[in-house]
Structure formats: structure tokens, C-alpha cells
Amino acid sequence: MSEQRQTPESMHAFVMQGIGETEVVEKPVPDIGPTDALLKPTKGLVCTSDVHTVHGAIGERENLTLGHEVVGVVEDVGDHVEDFAPGDRVVVGAITPDWGSHAAQAGHSSQSNQPLGGWKFANVKDGTFAEYVHVNEADANVAHIPDDVSDEAAAYVTDMMSTGFMAAENGDIPVGGTVAVFGQGPVGLMATKGADLQGAAHIVAVETVQERQELAREYGATDVVDFEETDPVEAIMDLTDGEGVDTAVEAIGAQIPFEQAIAVTKAGGTISNAGYHAEDLEIPIGEWGQGMAEKDIATGLCPGGRLRLERLLRLLEHDRVDPTTMTTHTFAFDDVKEAFELMESKEDGVIKPLVDFEA
């Protein structure tokens, strides 16, 4: 390993102690292997999936550090790391695949070794709400942040931009096509922007919260449907002259919007699922044409890898998108539990809480 930078032996971390239980504890600073890196975070984001995890969506966990969206400075690297060194300002993906796995070699890196196997942080290993973060296969899972891109903006490429844009990419959107995005949380907002970047001409955002409706328009929505005021299926069919959309994105993770997404998709179109589903789903057979309407259902996990991160950072560098408009609250790391509780309650107009490790 490279020369140590006076790294302490212990650190503070925000952990899940059991279902429904969180607290800040002291843990040892992680050791790194020859291909790994140790990162000292500067900025991080709280995600709704952290809330799902604490409420048992992936089962029991004990003393598991939460968080998966972080940027920071390299503290140390293993002997075999070639492209990064202590002091580098970097971003690490929420998904950190094992790049030698069969799934990665087959083009499904996020599923490395098992379904969802690339999702390690706050799942099968400690996450990023800690004073130091371990990153596996650093040369493949870390990217340098351009000088003129802020840490706050870069934090969004870790998951929200990558996942939201994946939803648009998986949707097979034709240039000039029609798209409906169900839910305008951070992933849905980035799916809306992704559809815009993919060349969609007509983008319908389904959302009831006014602040999120306004952001959806900023990110490219041409129409907004408030699901508390009108039936989204009827409204979208009216807006498309009865044809439906080429692509529908489900960005909530619930049965009703999933059914609605299938219903508004025209024959031959694509339903792109980006929602985190914690319960079994049922497919509405009639709307799916008894399985024969050529309506594809595409799924995916946030893509990982350095190349993906570099491409997303390039969008920030050239001002193609500004994700920081989704930041509604900022907390010091000492107040990370409060940030988590706000994301859990969805109060005070929260969209995305930023955790500033340097505050």
C-alpha cells in the first residue's frame, strides 16, 4: 500500500442496528486490499432506498453502515491501484461490481455474482455514511471529478442520475417519441431529464407535489398530471389522442403506478421499471394484451463502473443538466440521523437531503 496519511484507527458511522433502528456508532476504519481504495467523504446524499432498507426491504441487518451516494478524497490505495492516489478528488458509484464475474463479462455488471450483486454498499457491506469508506476494485469503480464540477453535483452521478437515465435508456425512446414518467422523486426527475436528453418530444410527468411538478417542467416535462386530481391513465390517453406513449417509466415502486404504466403504453412500446419494489407485483393482463401486445417490461439496477461515472460527469462539466436543484436540505454529518428521519417522513418539501461531511 501507499504511505499512510495518518489515518485514525476508528471512525463514526451511521448504522442500521436492526429493522427500524438506527444510530451513530464507533467502528474500526476499514482495511483495504491490493486493488481497493479508502475514501474520506466530503459530500453525500440520503436515498429513499436507505429508508426501505431500515424498514426491512432486504431483510435483517445488524450494525450495517447505511448510505451509497458519496464523493470525497482518496485517503489510501492498494498496491495494485494504478489510476488513483491519495489526495485525488473522486466519486464512487452506488453500485460497485466485481468486474471479473460471469455476469459482468456477459454485460450485466450490476448483477455480479448474484441478482443485484453489484449493490454492495448498505446491503452486503458497510455503506458510505461514515468518516471513511472502503471501495472495492478502485480502478474500475471510482472516477476523477473534473475541476469545475462541484462535489455536490458529482454526488448525484452516483445513483440518481445513473438510475434515472438508465430508466430512459432502457425505455427505447424514439427521437420525437412520447414518454410518461410516473413519480417525480429524484429518480423520476432524472428519468424525465433522461427522456429529454434521449430526444423525446412529449414527456408527461405524473406527480402531485407542486415543487416536484415545477422541477419536472425544468427538467423537460411538457405536461404534468396530478394523480390526486385526475386519473393518470385517462389524462395521458387524452394527451396522446388515445394512442398512449412509446415509453412509460415507473419510478415509484408500487402496484398502482406499475399497472398505470402498462395501461398507457401503446402496443409495441416499453415499460421501463426503475422503482424499488418491496412487495410482489401483479401484471394487469388485459392492459398487457394477455401477454401478446409486444409491450416489453424492462428492468435494471443502477449501472456501475468508472466509464458510466465519467460519462455522467461529462454532462455536468458541459452544463447539460444541473441536479443540485433537487437538493432541498443540507445537514452536517453529525446530524445525519436527522437527515435520514426527514427522508423517512417526507416532510418539509424534502426532495434530496445533502450531507456535508466537512461542515
Side-chain angles (χ1 to χ4, degrees), residues 82-271:
E82 298 181 354
D83 298 325
F84 300 91
D88 288 352
R89 192 168 69 103
V90 299
V91 58
V92 56
I95 304 302
T96 54
D98 300 306
W99 290 94
S101 68
H102 287 172
Q105 293 176 54
H108 305 287
S109 59
S110 296
Q111 315 300 325
S112 56
N113 295 318
Q114 61 183 5
L116 311 184
W119 172 24
K120 300 181 184 302
F121 288 136
N123 180 17
V124 296
K125 65 177 281 187
D126 279 339
T128 60
F129 288 139
E131 292 176 295
Y132 294 92
V133 175
H134 172 276
V135 184
N136 64 293
E137 297 190 35
D139 281 334
N141 288 318
V142 173
H144 292 283
I145 302 173
D147 290 342
D148 55 355
V149 173
S150 70
D151 284 5
E152 178 185 352
Y156 279 95
V157 311
T158 64
D159 186 358
M160 297 301 95
M161 284 176 59
S162 191
T163 300
F165 290 177
M166 173 204 69
E169 292 164 311
N170 285 353
D172 194 24
I173 300 168
V175 173
T178 53
V179 178
V181 181
F182 289 82
Q184 296 296 305
V187 168
L189 287 166
M190 289 297 92
T192 295
K193 183 60 182 179
D196 181 46
L197 291 170
Q198 289 281 101
H202 189 184
I203 304 171
V204 183
V206 180
E207 178 57 60
T208 190
V209 178
Q210 182 177 350
E211 292 83 0
R212 298 183 181 206
Q213 292 178 350
E214 293 170 358
L215 270 181
R217 293 188 186 278
E218 287 184 27
Y219 285 132
T222 54
D223 291 279
V224 174
V225 171
D226 187 331
F227 61 81
E228 288 193 351
E229 294 183 356
T230 186
D231 179 81
V233 173
E234 293 180 4
I236 292 169
M237 296 307 290
D238 286 344
L239 287 167
T240 57
D241 297 325
E243 291 188 2
V245 296
D246 296 298
T247 302
V249 175
E250 202 286 344
I252 298 174
Q255 178 68 41
I256 291 176
F258 179 72
E259 292 181 6
Q260 293 171 337
I262 293 172
V264 301
T265 301
K266 65 177 65 171
T270 302
I271 299 95

Side-chain angles (χ1 to χ4, degrees), residues 54-85:
V54 170
H55 285 282
I58 57 173
E60 292 278 358
R61 297 291 191 276
E62 183 177 346
N63 200 34
L64 177 73
T65 303
L66 295 165
H68 56 266
E69 300 174 85
V70 74
V71 303
V73 176
V74 175
E75 177 76 5
D76 194 18
V77 295
D79 290 339
H80 294 175
V81 175
E82 298 181 354
D83 298 325
F84 300 91

